[in-house]
Amino acid sequence: MTTALHSRPGRRKNLQEVSLLEGPMLLLRSIRGFRTNQSLIWLATVPLALFGLSIFTFAAKAGPGLGDLTGPQAATFLADNLWLFIATILVIFMNAGFAMVEAGMCRSKNAVNILAKNLFVFALAVTAYWFIGYSLMYGDSIAGGFLYFGGLFFDADPSGAFECAAAGDTGCLVPSVDFLFQAAFAGTAATIVSGLVAERVKFGEFVIFAIVLSGIIYPISGSWQWNGGWLAELGFIDFAGSSIVHSVGGWAGLVGAMLLGPRIGKYVDGKAQAMPGHSMAIATLGALILWIGWYGFNPGSELAMDEYVAFVAVTTTLAAAGGAIAATVLSTLTSGKPDLTMIINGILAGLVSITAGCGNMTFAGSWLAGAVGGVIVVFAVAALDAAEIDDPVGAFSVHGVCGVWGTVVIGLWGVDGMDPGPAGIGLLNGGGLNQFLVQALGAGAYAIWTVVTCWVAWSIIGGLFGGIRVSEEEETQGLDIGEHGMEAYPDFASAK
Amino acid sequence: MTTALHSRPGRRKNLQEVSLLEGPMLLLRSIRGFRTNQSLIWLATVPLALFGLSIFTFAAKAGPGLGDLTGPQAATFLADNLWLFIATILVIFMNAGFAMVEAGMCRSKNAVNILAKNLFVFALAVTAYWFIGYSLMYGDSIAGGFLYFGGLFFDADPSGAFECAAAGDTGCLVPSVDFLFQAAFAGTAATIVSGLVAERVKFGEFVIFAIVLSGIIYPISGSWQWNGGWLAELGFIDFAGSSIVHSVGGWAGLVGAMLLGPRIGKYVDGKAQAMPGHSMAIATLGALILWIGWYGFNPGSELAMDEYVAFVAVTTTLAAAGGAIAATVLSTLTSGKPDLTMIINGILAGLVSITAGCGNMTFAGSWLAGAVGGVIVVFAVAALDAAEIDDPVGAFSVHGVCGVWGTVVIGLWGVDGMDPGPAGIGLLNGGGLNQFLVQALGAGAYAIWTVVTCWVAWSIIGGLFGGIRVSEEEETQGLDIGEHGMEAYPDFASAK
Amino acid sequence: MTTALHSRPGRRKNLQEVSLLEGPMLLLRSIRGFRTNQSLIWLATVPLALFGLSIFTFAAKAGPGLGDLTGPQAATFLADNLWLFIATILVIFMNAGFAMVEAGMCRSKNAVNILAKNLFVFALAVTAYWFIGYSLMYGDSIAGGFLYFGGLFFDADPSGAFECAAAGDTGCLVPSVDFLFQAAFAGTAATIVSGLVAERVKFGEFVIFAIVLSGIIYPISGSWQWNGGWLAELGFIDFAGSSIVHSVGGWAGLVGAMLLGPRIGKYVDGKAQAMPGHSMAIATLGALILWIGWYGFNPGSELAMDEYVAFVAVTTTLAAAGGAIAATVLSTLTSGKPDLTMIINGILAGLVSITAGCGNMTFAGSWLAGAVGGVIVVFAVAALDAAEIDDPVGAFSVHGVCGVWGTVVIGLWGVDGMDPGPAGIGLLNGGGLNQFLVQALGAGAYAIWTVVTCWVAWSIIGGLFGGIRVSEEEETQGLDIGEHGMEAYPDFASAK
């Protein structure tokens, strides 16, 4: 759905003549509290620059409209676009889920910081994705399936969608809904990082990283599959983004967590210390909001309204159930009691585990993929602690490890579609080794790309601003006071 | 929409040859913390068994598809399935509503337990309903309108839905969406129980009961009406489940609450002691989530997208408003001040009171049905306390008593449909005694069935595992430590 | 969509013969805790009166149905009504957003009060809007574009919608969905007031004001634009209600806040004292729920499902992002650290700023309108404090000031529609002065109307019941004990 990106090259050329770095640089500095009169000039300059570019008017459109469609065409066009818009809203709602899960699983002295990160990062991700991300992800190929570009500033002419519908195609989305759906995905990747670097990262530095991730790193690798790039050519399957979204978020955060090091007091004599979250109520609420949001994430990735949408919803639901049950049973077996954080992470693990294969798995296969994800997450949390990598909310175990698992499980017991009767394509159900290798290759490619680029990004940001970690004193006192000058719950007495 | 249940009898026969009890028995034991190497064997056995049954591939399908439908057929097919899917998401979201209402109305020392129950039970309910519940509820009659069965493991072939649409019918749902909608209802029934047995029931025992309720007890009695069983034959009306879902949940919980007895210190010298909930913020949030979720529950029960969906939404809204106003006015009159828990329970009472009749009542009739529900809930709470039956969150008053009220009010001032011009069918608007008696019979049948089967179920579970109630010491300390080894709000100091 | 309002004049005439003031007067008194046996008589009288009016049955309908529509007609009819119903649910969900934002930003000792107001007011607003509000807003003109009326008690005959669809029109909504969508808007206006008068207004007096606002004041001025009244005739643009809903709520609350005066201790020697909110977690959740809800509010105001719905969603999203970024950067520049409450209010400011122009602005123009809104809200909060007008949650800065800004910005850089190619209609993009003056006139008209009528309403209510402010003692202790006899968080120790 990239029609609109090419409609007005003239305006975009003009835009690029303006020094595009000036605004962001000032933004960076202002975020770190650097007071400058230049900022005021910037605030006045931007609107003027935009007026000069006549960015407040549209170009003309032509072509068919809703009234030109036949009955079946109108029915599919309207249902497709309505469904995708609803799916978009559900995915955007996931921001609330992430905010509640992450805040609830951290300590109250850092709650404002985590909430602020989640809230602000979505605003930045949408802006960055509008400015350049969507273009990098869904523009025209400029380097053989590895790099795409379609000009700056996404704009939306619905003509192409009507032409598509009038030609009898399905899944003809207007650019606005396609953009918003994709922008919400970009925001998700950034939000996952937030959990991994929680309770010790500086606010401004995190924010800058999130812009880079959602505006550049994520869109580039996303194009490899979802814009028909080299991985799509190879036959890689990642229906809704176990690798493309979740593992990218997980790897990006893992690099951050490793560069930051563990929180003060987390590991004593090689043993992980419990640092329980401050509100299981909002963490549970967040998990249920995420569960709901996943009905936009996975079934929405069908990018059309048809008989498969609900099918994907069932595979998604059963995987979540399998993950919850397996993680709960396993954590009860190993620790004697069912841990609520493990029920939560089991659900999320199940959901991530089916995200790639939600359109390529039977119901039983889905439940089992989720259940194995639920087992994996319990062991992954323990393994990270053994390696003294501090992941406060278990985000890498859920999104990184299960993101990889969800990708490769298709190569184990995936099927080649959602219609009854598809052939098995996995190692264990008659499909041979090929799909498994492609899935592993894709998962590996996302890991390498993300780890390398994010290492560079975190390092540059840290170098520019004197490190990405708050001071020891600030960390002990809590980031809410240090980074935001406020408390999350000022009316309540602390337990200590 | 049971087509899919019969498509592959061969596979199902094979499945039944495996000892189906082995897995669940191990699950039961493992939930109680019984460590065993057998569990590991089980974890390895299940996937292998499933592979042997080739559960990872589908059978072939045939018949028409979306492209074969005419304009009006495609429009209704897509709108019906999209609407039902959205309704399903809304009903699943009610889990968050129940979790927040129940947790908020209980004490903080039991919050983890309540949250864990709500979260985990939905995973179990979906699994149980997929395994057998849907089949018991929507399978083929095997005992004259009283018992149905359609094989184990629901599976989804959309062919039948397209055949239905191609024949010009409306409400042609693909099996996946129908299954998920119904599974969400099954989960609701189980969640209601959670509130009644809160703050004193053992986690594992409750979980087992919830599986039995959502997988067996609820589906069997649900079929009596919604699969065209004996109650449907009699002309019983319960559009969205005042009796079938809410009163069943209420009765099931009431039996649990009576077997458990009241919480320590609840009744002193025959007087109920206040045990205020720990967070009115999340309780209020939960009420509003439930209100929203009810727009899936009631209008979704139209099982199609048509002009009546919004009509049902209006009756639902007005009943909620009536319930809130009546309960608030009454509780202000009786206690001097408007109690927030009574506003919440008034809203929920109004919603339950219209659930059966939301398609068979005028707007004024709906508001009044809700308002009477709001009055009833205030008295019912007092009556239960007088009987020393401890219902910590008022769940029986809301779901049980108003569930019965919502069922019989159709016999008082119901009308025979949603089109303008339907005849009155109630005692008070010209319909005579017949409908009233049928409604009372149905409400009574659900009460008797649920009380008897649940008494048996709770008793067997209690007998197997040494009672369903936690120790006095654990209850005093809080179930969060005892059952889960964690606290909901470890950072905050307790008030005492 | 007012067809239904005129269908049965006979019944309505009868209704008006009953003294309509009797019930409400008793309600008023009972809310203030005035115990009276008359109330019981009232409870018994209303149902009997309703029976006498045969309000429990419908009149007959005629005309076409779903089956009479052609393919394109059925497709648009179903998509339009489904989308509007979903939009309605999203707007109703905003009640949860407002409740969480307002409660989270106030102190814990007043949390029950704020939650109760938000919850109860929606029930009352829906009832009042059903009783008379919808009729005043969408009835027939009785005074040349200034006043409308269509009888008491909205009722819903879908015949007109089918006739509309069969004639080939789009946006043919059944009355039920139109009513519910509009009722949710009425509730929003009332809820905004709640934030401005928080922590010091009496519960019962506020409740009465909310009924008057949502049932009479808001509908009358709403008709000026949305029922094709005098402002619509002038060419005033307010797509989704920056002025009509948000500024009306803001002005209504401002009058209340000024009449009440500031909270005890808020201003000491002319300096505003910090009174931080008690839960940033629920305030952040509320902001995200409101963001989601706005996708019903703005795109839903298209009143049809077409290619513009997602366009409006993108302008809405970008304005929210712009508002968040501008407010965060500015508050960081001025106070040194990014304040979470400013991120929240920046998002809401951006959303309000685009509400009028969401269908009349480019993407860049939308982002900028939101960003300017984010700047405005920071200054407006400071300005109100300088004027010693106490707005505990910043509601006037967000809804009042940005409501006006969102209205006039259309006159600065609005365009004349959503299709590519529309002409600029603002001062700064070639449209001349005309639209700007019309926008300013409209914004001014809503300000004057609301301030005058609300001053009268608050004054009468205060005069009847001995003032609208709680006692000094009650305010110091907290309204939760004083007004409701309960605490929001009884288990937790206070910080003081």
Side-chain angles (χ1 to χ4, degrees), chain B residues 43-58:
Chain B
L43 283 172
T45 309
V46 166
L48 292 175
L50 295 171
F51 288 126
L53 298 162
S54 52
I55 211 157
F56 293 130
T57 50
F58 290 120

Side-chain angles (χ1 to χ4, degrees), chain C residues 15 27 49-50 92 112 122 150 152 158 231 260 279 299 329 336 347 372 428:
Chain C
L15 245 186
L27 182 64
L50 295 171
I92 294 176
V112 166
F122 184 58
L152 295 179
L231 276 171
L260 282 164
S279 175
V329 170
I347 287 170
V372 174
L428 301 175

Side-chain angles (χ1 to χ4, degrees), chain C residues 164-181:
Chain C
C164 163
D169 287 341
T170 59
C172 302
L173 304 176
V174 297
S176 289
V177 80
D178 187 54
F179 162 74
L180 211 51
F181 186 68

Side-chain angles (χ1 to χ4, degrees), chain C residues 55 84 100 144 148 154 179-180 224 245 260 264 270-271 292 349 361-362 372 375 378 389 435 450 459 465:
Chain C
I55 209 157
L84 253 288
M100 294 299 113
Y148 296 79
F154 157 76
F179 162 74
L180 211 51
W224 299 347
V245 184
L260 282 164
I264 297 168
K271 272 202 65 172
I292 292 300
M361 214 157 279
T362 64
V372 174
V375 170
V378 175
I389 298 170
Q435 190 71 40
T450 312
S459 302
F465 299 106

